[in-house]
Amino acid sequence: MPGTSRGAAQARSSRNQKLQLPGMNLCSGLRIVPFQAGPIRPHRAAMKIVTLASATMEAPAKGAAKLDKGSARPIFPFTAIVGQEEMKLALILNVIDPKIGGVMIMGDRGTGKSTTIRALADLLPEMKVVDKDPFNSDPDDPEVMSEEIRLRMKAGEVLKIGTMKIPMVDLPLGATEDRVCGTIDIEKALTEGKKAFEPGLLAKANRGILYVDEVNLLDDHLVDVLLDSAASGWNTVEREGISISHPARFILVGSGNPEEGELRPQLLDRFGMHAQIGTVKEPKLRVQIVSQRSQFDENPADFRDKCQATQRALEDKIVEARTRLKQTEVSYDFRVKISQICSELDVDGIRGDIVTTRAAKALAAFEGRTEVTAEDIYRVIPLCLRHRLRKDPLADIDSGEKVRDIFKVVFGME
C-alpha cells in the first residue's frame, strides 16, 4: 500500500540519521563515473610530504658534524688509534717502500683492522697524476705510466698534470675476474679496429692501496691474480688474441680472522709482511679506546681537528722517509746475518732475505737514519719471516718468538 511504504521509508531515513558517524557527510553526493585516462596528478598532501622529506635529507641536522671536503664519510685519524703497534708499523713501512710486497693482517674480530687501513689511506699525501688518465699515471716515472701516456710524451705532447689523494680500493669478496682485471670490448675491436679497454679495480688501485677484507675467503684464482700483479707491477688482459697491459703497482693489504681459515702457504709467502694482532687486554687502554671512539662518533670534525697536528707531523715524516730511503744502506755483515737467520729457520726461497732487508732500510729511513742498525732488523724480522716458517702442529712457541730467538743467537745477543 502506498501509505505504508511511504511510512516505512521515512522510518528507515530517520534511523540512518541517528546512526550517521562523523565525517559520513563527506561522501554525500558521491557519484560513480566511468574511468577516464588522463595525466596523473600527485596529491597535494603527498607532494608536501615528499618535499619535506627531501629537505630533511639534504639539509644537515642542527649541530651535526661537518664532513671534510671531498670525503663521503669521516675517517678515524691514524694517530688516534690506540695499540696495535705491530700492524701500524708494517703499514707505514709498506707506504715508505711499496716494493716490500704488502701486508697480511690476521687478528680477532673487532680489533680495528679495517679502521686502521682506511685511516692510513686518509693520512697519505696527494700525488701528481696525468689529468683524466684512468691508470693514475705518474708524469715523472715511466715505470708507473700507461702505454698511451708514454707514447704521447714521446711525441712531444704537453700533458696536463693534476693531483689526487692516494687511492684506496676495496675489493669485495664477490668480485669477478673481469671486474678486477678489466675487460676488452671485442665488438668494438673487430668493427672499428680499436682497442677498447674498460679498466678494472687493479687500474684504479695503481700507485695506491688495494684492500681485501677476509682475504682468506677470497677465491684462490683471484688471490693469484692480485699477487702476480702486485709482484710484477703490471696487469695484462688477453681476450680473443687481443692483449692490453697497464701499470698496477699498489700496496696489497689483506686482513682476516684465523678462525675462518688460513691462506695456502704458497699464497701467504707472496705477502711481504705478516702482522698478528689481538684484542687489547689492559682495562685502561680499553677505556681509552671506547672514550675516543665515542668522541669521534659525536663530532668527527672536532675530533679530527684535535689530531690535525699529529697527523701532519706523521705525514711529513713519511714523506721525508721516502726521500731518505734512496740513501739508506745495510752493511754487508748485517745482510749475511739476515741470510743466516733465514737459512737456520729453513725458509724456502730468498723472498725472506729481500723483504727483511727492505723493511729494515725503510724503518731506518723512517727514524731519520741512513744506516741500518741491529735493532731495526730485530723489530722487523718477525714480521717478514713468521708466515714463511713451516707449520709445526706440536710447537708450543709462537713463530714470531722463534724468529727472535734465532736472531739473538746469530747476532750474539743472548
Side-chain angles (χ1 to χ4, degrees):
M1 291 182 296
T4 306
S5 58
R6 191 183 305 117
Q10 289 177 354
R12 283 196 300 270
S13 174
S14 176
R15 284 197 301 269
N16 289 339
Q17 288 178 359
K18 290 179 182 179
L19 294 173
Q20 189 174 19
L21 298 175
M24 286 183 65
N25 57 345
L26 295 175
C27 298
S28 59
L30 183 65
R31 292 185 302 119
I32 300 176
V33 297
F35 172 76
Q36 295 179 354
I40 300 174
R41 298 180 180 179
H43 196 277
R44 191 174 299 173
M47 291 176 64
K48 187 175 181 181
I49 292 171
V50 172
T51 305
L52 289 174
S54 302
T56 305
M57 292 174 66
E58 292 173 2
K62 189 176 181 180
K66 195 175 181 181
L67 300 184
D68 291 343
K69 190 175 181 180
S71 66
R73 57 179 177 178
I75 298 175
F76 196 84
F78 186 85
T79 55
I81 295 172
V82 179
Q84 313 300 6
E85 300 301 327
E86 187 175 285
M87 172 175 59
K88 292 191 288 187
L89 177 63
L91 291 170
I92 289 173
L93 296 183
N94 271 270
V95 169
I96 295 172
D97 185 4
K99 291 183 179 179
I100 288 174
V103 192
M104 178 63 190
I105 303 170
M106 296 297 282
D108 303 330
R109 298 179 295 273
T111 48
K113 299 186 291 292
S114 302
T115 300
T116 305
I117 295 163
R118 291 188 173 89
L120 177 69
D122 179 63
L123 169 72
L124 299 180
E126 292 188 340
M127 62 181 186
K128 290 197 299 182
V129 294
V130 177
D131 191 40
K132 296 182 180 180
D133 179 64
F135 307 108
N136 307 328
S137 294
D138 187 345
D140 303 322
D141 188 357
E143 290 188 9
V144 283
M145 189 183 296
S146 66
E147 184 180 357
E148 179 188 353
I149 299 299
R150 195 182 301 111
L151 293 175
R152 288 168 60 185
M153 289 190 71
K154 283 184 178 180
E157 182 180 345
V158 179
L159 301 174
K160 187 177 179 181
I161 308 301
T163 59
M164 64 176 289
K165 286 287 289 182
I166 291 179
M168 177 182 167
V169 178
D170 277 292
L171 179 67
L173 287 177
T176 62
E177 187 174 349
D178 286 345
R179 180 71 184 99
V180 174
C181 300
T183 57
I184 298 175
D185 191 340
I186 301 298
E187 182 179 354
K188 191 170 185 180
L190 295 175
T191 56
E192 301 180 15
K194 296 180 181 179
K195 291 183 178 180
F197 180 65
E198 183 180 345
L201 296 178
L202 294 182
K204 188 178 179 182
N206 186 38
R207 302 177 63 203
I209 298 173
L210 182 64
Y211 174 50
V212 188
D213 194 11
E214 308 295 349
V215 66
N216 46 341
L217 302 181
L218 195 66
D219 289 341
D220 285 344
H221 76 281
L222 282 182
V223 178
D224 286 330
V225 168
L226 297 178
L227 294 174
D228 287 340
S229 298
S232 64
W234 285 83
N235 174 46
T236 301
V237 180
E238 295 187 358
R239 297 287 187 277
E240 305 296 335
I242 301 173
S243 178
I244 293 180
S245 297
H246 67 81
R249 182 176 294 179
F250 50 84
I251 302 170
L252 180 61
V253 181
S255 66
N257 186 348
E259 295 178 356
E260 296 172 349
E262 293 282 352
L263 274 178
R264 292 180 310 180
Q266 60 267 39
L267 299 180
L268 196 58
D269 179 69
R270 300 290 290 273
F271 281 93
M273 306 179 82
H274 185 283
Q276 288 183 347
I277 59 175
T279 305
V280 176
K281 302 298 183 183
E282 178 64 33
K284 291 183 179 179
L285 286 180
R286 293 171 73 103
V287 170
Q288 184 181 352
I289 293 170
V290 173
S291 175
Q292 289 189 347
R293 186 70 212 189
S294 299
Q295 293 175 28
F296 175 76
D297 290 340
E298 288 174 5
N299 199 327
D302 285 352
F303 188 85
R304 287 174 60 87
D305 287 342
K306 293 176 183 177
C307 301
Q308 189 172 6
T310 54
Q311 289 275 102
R312 181 62 57 85
L314 181 57
E315 179 182 336
D316 293 342
K317 193 175 179 180
I318 291 174
V319 172
E320 292 172 5
R322 296 175 82 166
T323 305
R324 192 181 297 113
L325 183 65
K326 298 177 182 178
Q327 290 82 41
T328 308
E329 297 292 338
V330 182
S331 67
Y332 178 77
D333 181 52
F334 282 169
R335 281 183 282 160
V336 170
K337 289 182 176 179
I338 289 172
S339 295
Q340 184 180 347
I341 293 171
C342 294
S343 179
E344 293 195 14
L345 288 170
D346 200 19
V347 174
D348 294 331
I350 60 170
R351 276 202 190 100
D353 309 54
I354 296 172
V355 171
T356 303
T357 303
R358 287 189 177 278
K361 289 173 63 177
L363 179 57
F366 180 63
E367 297 191 341
R369 292 178 277 104
T370 56
E371 285 290 334
V372 172
T373 65
E375 178 66 22
D376 296 331
I377 301 172
Y378 179 77
R379 289 176 62 185
V380 302
I381 199 167
L383 296 169
C384 302
L385 299 183
R386 66 153 56 102
H387 57 300
R388 306 180 197 278
L389 305 185
R390 295 180 179 178
K391 298 291 183 182
D392 184 0
L394 301 179
D396 57 353
I397 183 174
D398 177 67
S399 54
E401 290 299 326
K402 184 177 181 180
V403 173
R404 293 187 184 95
D405 290 343
I406 298 297
F407 173 91
K408 292 175 183 177
V409 173
V410 172
F411 276 79
M413 294 183 176
E414 287 186 310

